[in-house]
Amino acid sequence: MTATDRSIELINAAAQAAADRLAHDIIAYDVSEVLSITDAFLLASAPNDRQVKSIVDEIEERLQKELGAKPVRREGDRDARWILLDYVDIVIHVQHSEERVFYALERLWKDCPEIDLPEDAVKTRGKAAEHAQLNGGTEGEQN
């Protein structure tokens, strides 16, 4: 079993929305073989809480407007360090860069196939490390 066409469509729209809001290190995994509750995960990060929230808001708005999809659950808004959007078919994790490094979700899902993403999303790979280097390693500080 692989992710459905609808799941891939949602993942691509979400990845593009995240890239448009300057998310870092966007990646998606087809988890349909190992999880029965969802088809795919999208992971993205940002260097501060405000940007995490902005990315999530853009994803939610874009999926609603373009694809008529609403999340069944949204968690983590209060601290905006790790916000989860659950669309049943897909689950989106937008994390503060520090949480992304600490929890290393990529390690958990590395054996699952990666989903091809729009070019703008692929170009975000390595942006967190680049941002940290430009800012003297202070990317984890809150604004």
Side-chain angles (χ1 to χ4, degrees), residues 20-39:
D20 290 348
R21 288 292 178 179
L22 307 178
H24 296 168
D25 302 315
I26 302 168
I27 192 164
Y29 294 101
D30 180 337
V31 297
S32 62
E33 292 289 324
V34 294
L35 290 177
S36 60
I37 57 170
T38 193
D39 281 350

Side-chain angles (χ1 to χ4, degrees), residues 86-111:
D86 183 351
Y87 285 87
V88 180
D89 294 331
I90 68 168
V91 175
I92 300 166
H93 301 268
V94 182
Q95 298 174 297
H96 189 288
S97 298
E98 287 177 342
E99 271 67 12
R100 180 84 178 257
V101 170
F102 183 80
Y103 290 101
L105 295 179
E106 290 91 338
R107 261 192 335 219
L108 295 173
W109 307 110
K110 70 179 184 227
D111 293 334

Side-chain angles (χ1 to χ4, degrees), residues 10-100:
L10 290 166
I11 284 286
N12 281 301
Q16 185 62 55
D20 290 348
R21 288 292 178 179
L22 307 178
H24 296 168
D25 302 315
I26 302 168
I27 192 164
Y29 294 101
D30 180 337
V31 297
S32 62
E33 292 289 324
V34 294
L35 290 177
S36 60
I37 57 170
T38 193
D39 281 350
F41 280 167
L42 180 74
L43 310 175
S45 55
N48 62 65
D49 305 351
R50 192 174 309 133
Q51 191 174 356
V52 167
K53 189 149 176 39
S54 175
I55 292 164
V56 169
D57 289 345
E58 182 65 21
I59 290 170
E60 194 169 2
E61 183 178 321
R62 185 94 48 101
L63 293 184
Q64 168 66 37
K65 190 187 311 185
E66 293 179 5
L67 301 172
K70 285 183 169 182
V72 295
R73 186 174 67 195
R74 179 174 170 154
E75 295 181 1
D77 271 327
R78 195 179 73 168
D79 295 328
R81 303 281 297 174
W82 179 350
I83 299 178
L84 179 143
L85 293 173
D86 183 351
Y87 285 87
V88 180
D89 294 331
I90 68 168
V91 175
I92 300 166
H93 301 268
V94 182
Q95 298 174 297
H96 189 288
S97 298
E98 287 177 342
E99 271 67 12
R100 180 84 178 257

